[in-house]
Amino acid sequence: MSAQSASLGCPSDAGGRWQGGSEEGEAAATTAPPRRRPGAPAPPRQPPRPAAGTAPGPAPEGGFGSGPRGAMDSLRRLKRFDAFPKTLEDFRVKTCGGALVTVVSGLIMVVLLFSELQYYLTKEVHPELHVDKSRGDKLKINLDVIFPHMPCAYLSIDAMDVAGEQQLDVEHNLFKQRLDRAGNRVTPEAERHELGKEEEKVFDPNALDADRCESCYGAESEDIRCCNTCDDVREAYRRRGWAFKNPDTIEQCKREGFSQKMQEQKNEGCQVYGFLEVNKVAGNFHFAPGKSFQQSHVHVHDLQSFGLDNINMTHYIKHLSFGRDYPGIVNPLDGTDVTAQQASMMFQYFVKVVPTVYMKVDGEVVRTNQFSVTRHEKIANGLLGDQGLPGVFVLYELSPMMVKLTEKHRSFTHFLTGVCAIVGGIFTVAGFIDSLIYHSARAIQKKIELGKTT
């Protein structure tokens, strides 16, 4: 019995090596208790004897011993909680497939981590909805529209309120640039456009008598008693509500070459750009041919100077916005290209303007507007009635609700969570793929070896 026990020995907790054949082993074998017969009562358990050279004493709280042996017991108990057991280096097998999976998974991990970092560095926008309580503000309208088949001399721009009256106190900075058929500029500089009027150049005014008073051809009024230019005659006709039919019969227009100017720009296009600042009420602004005037409290345009068959309202909206731009804003009409299928087409854009406040991280507040739009088109004959007027009309309404957008930094804890998810997920999936490749290769190799032996 003692010889067998001495030859078997016992494992060491610290090093994992086997010890046997020592005197301590023989002593332990000779002092081993005798075997208990079946059915006999168990002897009382004796407390462990203290080691030689040490004084017996109470164990410290928590069951951990003191000294080097207690530290080893504590470390041995701590090892039980290791969720990542290691294997010996001799039992690890490195393969080319595993290396390839590691490289590919590492590249994917770097790309995903970079994208996660980019997402973290962007700002997070929180939207809120409030009732718009602002009063007395102005509405700024930025526009850039090209009419490839409408000369600048024919085109007029007007801003109206919801009642159909021309808006007053409108600050504007609109310019009209003449374009040829290819879309190139005809003149190096654009002409500034007066809202509701047409810019006309007076023919050599220094050559005429400054004190002259020429006829208005029956359109004289208290405000206008003398019409020394073609534009004066047209303005007098407009205030009277008369149509300006034949400019060749007007001496001032013949002298200034009004008909020749119209004929010169007949095959040109026009680009209108700039901004309007109107009162913050519902209304519209429109681009239409002919001189505009009020007749019986109705806004009409004089289209007698050119035939209705020649009015082509094809247009390209490069930009249209209601206020300043902010990060992420979308203007739905930018880049809109509309071709008129027939002459004298009327295009209507029904716009719903939503006041918007954008608060940046640095504290800057941008007060602007978003909008949605619906388009409608029909054929117009240029007369009063249901047919309407050929042109491009933008009719806008203001929403009573206001959108407040607030920029905030993204959460750092969410960034760490995303990084851990990327690393852990790719590591786990790469392990599955590597294990599949390794075991598949071994199974195929075994089948090949079996085939060779048979």
Side-chain angles (χ1 to χ4, degrees):
M1 182 66 180
S2 62
Q4 294 178 356
S5 301
S7 62
L8 292 176
C10 62
S12 173
D13 293 333
R17 294 173 298 176
W18 291 89
Q19 298 178 354
S22 62
E23 296 180 357
E24 293 180 3
E26 293 179 358
T30 55
T31 59
R35 294 184 179 180
R36 181 168 53 89
R37 293 178 299 174
R45 189 171 182 178
Q46 298 295 330
R49 296 180 180 180
T54 59
E61 295 183 1
F64 295 99
S66 60
R69 188 175 182 85
M72 294 299 295
D73 292 341
S74 302
L75 292 177
R76 191 182 308 114
R77 295 182 182 182
L78 182 62
K79 290 178 182 179
R80 299 176 184 176
F81 300 98
D82 186 7
F84 308 99
K86 286 76 177 175
T87 58
L88 296 177
E89 189 70 26
D90 297 337
F91 295 100
R92 296 179 182 177
V93 179
K94 297 184 177 181
T95 61
C96 294
L100 181 62
V101 171
T102 303
V103 172
V104 173
S105 59
L107 293 177
I108 296 175
M109 191 180 301
V110 170
V111 172
L112 292 181
L113 288 176
F114 182 72
S115 65
E116 184 71 16
L117 179 61
Q118 278 189 324
Y119 178 75
Y120 168 71
L121 294 178
T122 58
K123 305 296 187 298
E124 190 175 5
V125 180
H126 294 269
E128 300 177 16
L129 197 62
H130 303 276
V131 177
D132 185 14
K133 299 180 180 179
S134 60
R135 293 291 181 271
D137 295 339
K138 290 284 187 177
L139 182 64
K140 186 176 181 180
I141 305 172
N142 307 296
L143 56 93
D144 188 355
V145 187
I146 295 176
F147 297 88
H149 304 290
M150 179 58 60
C152 291
Y154 294 7
L155 194 63
S156 64
I157 308 158
D158 295 288
M160 315 290 296
D161 59 15
V162 67
E165 297 291 337
Q166 190 163 351
Q167 284 227 24
L168 302 176
D169 301 328
V170 177
E171 181 183 352
H172 65 281
N173 192 21
L174 293 176
F175 295 90
K176 293 197 295 188
Q177 175 66 54
R178 293 170 58 186
L179 304 175
D180 58 14
R181 285 292 186 182
N184 301 318
R185 293 186 175 185
V186 176
T187 56
E189 295 183 359
E191 297 180 1
R192 194 174 190 274
H193 176 77
E194 291 296 332
L195 200 66
K197 298 182 181 180
E198 285 191 88
E199 287 280 332
E200 300 289 347
K201 292 184 179 179
V202 180
F203 174 77
D204 196 10
N206 297 325
L208 301 174
D209 186 9
D211 297 331
R212 71 188 185 280
C213 182
E214 300 186 43
S215 173
C216 294
Y217 300 89
E220 291 85 355
S221 61
E222 294 182 0
D223 296 334
I224 301 178
R225 297 187 179 275
C226 300
C227 298
N228 296 329
T229 64
C230 183
D231 191 39
D232 292 342
V233 178
R234 298 181 68 192
E235 180 66 19
Y237 272 52
R238 185 183 71 85
R239 295 195 180 188
R240 284 282 188 176
W242 296 354
F244 191 75
K245 296 182 179 180
N246 191 1
D248 293 333
T249 61
I250 307 298
E251 181 63 28
Q252 293 89 328
C253 297
K254 290 173 61 178
R255 182 177 62 220
E256 297 173 9
F258 177 78
S259 299
Q260 287 81 355
K261 183 178 180 180
M262 290 291 186
Q263 189 67 24
E264 178 187 351
Q265 299 187 19
K266 185 176 182 180
N267 296 322
E268 292 182 358
C270 187
Q271 179 182 6
V272 182
Y273 61 93
F275 70 88
L276 296 169
E277 277 196 359
V278 299
N279 298 322
K280 199 172 181 181
V281 295
N284 76 83
F285 63 94
H286 56 269
F287 310 86
K291 187 77 172 180
S292 63
F293 57 92
Q294 296 284 337
Q295 187 176 46
S296 301
H297 302 286
V298 178
H299 182 79
V300 295
H301 283 248
D302 179 17
L303 303 179
Q304 300 296 331
S305 300
F306 27 83
L308 296 176
D309 296 337
N310 299 325
I311 300 177
N312 188 342
M313 295 309 300
T314 297
H315 57 279
Y316 173 67
I317 303 177
K318 295 182 64 176
H319 177 71
L320 179 64
S321 62
F322 293 82
R324 295 172 55 189
D325 291 341
Y326 62 85
I329 190 173
V330 177
N331 298 311
L333 284 180
D334 286 3
T336 301
D337 192 359
V338 180
T339 301
Q341 302 298 330
Q342 301 181 34
S344 303
M345 292 286 294
M346 180 181 185
F347 298 93
Q348 294 175 307
Y349 294 92
F350 298 93
V351 175
K352 194 72 172 181
V353 180
V354 181
T356 303
V357 177
Y358 191 89
M359 302 186 66
K360 297 185 178 181
V361 177
D362 56 2
E364 181 184 357
V365 179
V366 179
R367 297 186 180 275
T368 181
N369 300 277
Q370 304 178 75
F371 69 95
S372 61
V373 63
T374 303
R375 192 184 77 189
H376 176 69
E377 58 186 57
K378 63 181 179 179
I379 301 175
N381 60 8
L383 303 177
L384 298 178
D386 296 336
Q387 293 294 331
L389 181 73
V392 176
F393 294 78
V394 180
L395 302 94
Y396 55 88
E397 294 181 357
L398 295 169
S399 172
M401 306 304 294
M402 173 185 290
V403 177
K404 182 180 179 182
L405 304 174
T406 306
E407 276 187 353
K408 293 183 179 180
H409 290 291
R410 299 192 182 275
S411 174
F412 183 71
T413 56
H414 290 179
F415 171 70
L416 290 182
T417 304
V419 169
C420 295
I422 290 173
V423 174
I426 293 180
F427 184 79
T428 304
V429 174
F432 289 155
I433 296 176
D434 177 63
S435 177
L436 179 63
I437 294 175
Y438 176 71
H439 291 292
S440 300
R442 287 191 61 185
I444 294 173
Q445 187 177 3
K446 287 183 178 180
K447 289 185 179 181
I448 293 174
E449 291 178 356
L450 290 175
K452 288 182 179 180
T453 56
T454 54

